[in-house]
Amino acid sequence: MTTAPARTADRYPTRGATEEMIPRQDPVVWSSPNAEGPISTGDLEGFERDGFLSVDRLIEPEEVGAYKAELDRLVSDPAIRADERAVVEPQTQEIRSVFEVHRLSEVFAKLVRDPRVVGRARQILGSDVYVHQSRINVKPGFGASGFYWHSDFETWHAEDGLPAMRTVSVSIALTENFATNGGLMIMPGSHKTFLGCSGATPKDNYKKSLQMQDAGTPSDEALTELAADHGIRLFTGQPGSAVWFDCNCMHGSGDNITPYPRSNVFIVFNSVENEAVEPFAAPIRRPEFIGARDFTPVR
């Protein structure tokens, strides 16, 4: 376990009196164009431009069943439900997310170490990486709530202390992602602008925000401006497909009112050269199962 250093200079102020748009001050792709890795030069250029990369078959169809069975096992385990790492839907009390799944499950730990997964993260971030956060998101049919528009980096910077935009996420579909069952939406190119939100961070904000985002939520006016500039892309895909996206992409997802569940594995890789420091806009750190303080590289 590594102790985080003291907070550094804040290049991305947020949670203040006013909302502010700040041009990105960090690279998007940190490796050289000729760096070896599973992502082609053209796809890296697309990631640089849009902030995301879709992969139709990150894992094979025959592998999906094993991961889906492990997700179902975790969700149905009473010990997991009683664990603070499980988050439930406010209305239905069904499990919404389970965090730190790479520590709860060796099946998902192996997925994190899979070269198809961690290799892409290293190529984008140009260094060794560690897991800042992992979770399974479960959206059962008939009423699972969505995730409102947000930039992950805004939260990870404000509440976890990540200094730079050197973090990438992957969402891997374990059920089919239709256009109708609460799929991921991203504003292409929005990762080039940091939106510093207004309003202070309450103590233990994570207990509320994991069910319903409040602090760090963009205004309607800012979202309207970003959507006018960038548009909105909705992602669909078969089980085993994936979306890689930059930490500062403006993204969200709608409620799932269809009969069709939408379950995904979500892994966040951070560069070992971008270790978390003290929070930039929160009174205390979030728990380690949400924002890791173990910076050991994935091997």
Side-chain angles (χ1 to χ4, degrees), residues 25-246:
Q25 301 177 51
D26 293 303
V28 177
V29 176
W30 290 73
S31 62
S32 66
N34 299 322
E36 293 186 4
I39 307 176
S40 69
T41 300
D43 282 344
L44 273 180
E45 291 172 351
F47 187 89
E48 167 77 32
R49 180 188 65 244
D50 298 327
F52 59 80
L53 169 65
S54 298
V55 180
D56 288 337
R57 185 183 283 188
L58 182 67
I59 58 176
E60 297 299 320
E62 58 269 21
E63 299 175 274
V64 172
Y67 294 120
K68 179 61 168 58
E70 183 67 354
L71 179 149
D72 292 340
R73 183 190 72 81
L74 292 171
V75 171
S76 61
D77 185 342
I80 296 295
R81 185 180 183 85
D83 194 294
E84 65 174 344
R85 289 172 285 191
V87 181
V88 300
E89 291 282 351
Q91 300 300 322
T92 65
Q93 295 300 299
E94 292 189 70
I95 286 184
R96 171 184 176 90
S97 302
V98 179
F99 282 80
E100 213 171 41
V101 290
H102 71 296
R103 297 195 183 278
L104 289 170
S105 163
E106 181 55 29
V107 173
F108 288 120
K110 289 180 179 178
L111 180 63
V112 166
R113 299 191 298 266
D114 191 309
R116 295 169 295 181
V117 177
V118 71
R120 284 177 166 85
R122 292 185 185 122
Q123 189 177 2
I124 291 169
L125 300 180
S127 69
D128 279 333
V129 297
Y130 70 92
V131 177
H132 177 70
Q133 185 187 105
S134 72
R135 67 178 187 260
I136 47 176
N137 287 333
V138 185
K139 272 195 175 182
F142 300 120
S145 55
F147 295 84
Y148 197 69
W149 290 106
H150 63 286
S151 154
D152 286 330
F153 178 74
E154 193 279 337
T155 297
W156 298 338
H157 182 70
E159 300 185 40
D160 297 339
L162 293 191
M165 295 180 182
R166 199 171 181 179
T167 315
V168 66
S169 302
V170 60
S171 178
I172 306 171
L174 298 183
T175 57
E176 186 161 0
N177 283 212
F178 298 102
T180 52
N181 66 341
L184 174 68
M185 296 181 288
I186 293 178
M187 297 184 186
S190 60
H191 63 303
K192 298 291 184 70
T193 302
F194 176 74
L195 181 61
C197 297
S198 62
T201 308
K203 185 179 179 180
D204 290 340
N205 177 58
Y206 76 95
K207 293 180 179 179
K208 179 181 179 182
S209 67
L210 297 181
Q211 292 182 327
M212 184 66 68
Q213 186 83 4
D214 187 9
T217 301
S219 68
D220 291 352
E221 292 77 14
L223 290 171
T224 299
E225 182 177 342
L226 288 170
D229 290 342
H230 303 292
I232 296 173
R233 167 81 182 271
L234 170 66
F235 294 90
T236 60
Q238 295 290 324
S241 63
V243 180
W244 291 85
F245 57 101
D246 179 83

Side-chain angles (χ1 to χ4, degrees), residues 4-16 26 132 152-165 167 194 196-197 199-201 270 274-286 293:
R7 194 174 70 182
T8 59
D10 188 358
R11 297 179 297 138
Y12 298 106
T14 189
R15 312 283 174 98
D26 293 303
H132 177 70
D152 286 330
F153 178 74
E154 193 279 337
T155 297
W156 298 338
H157 182 70
E159 300 185 40
D160 297 339
L162 293 191
M165 295 180 182
T167 315
F194 176 74
C197 297
T201 308
N270 188 39
N274 189 43
E275 292 181 358
V277 295
E278 292 304 317
F280 285 86
I284 59 172
R285 304 174 182 176
R286 297 195 298 175
R293 296 282 161 170

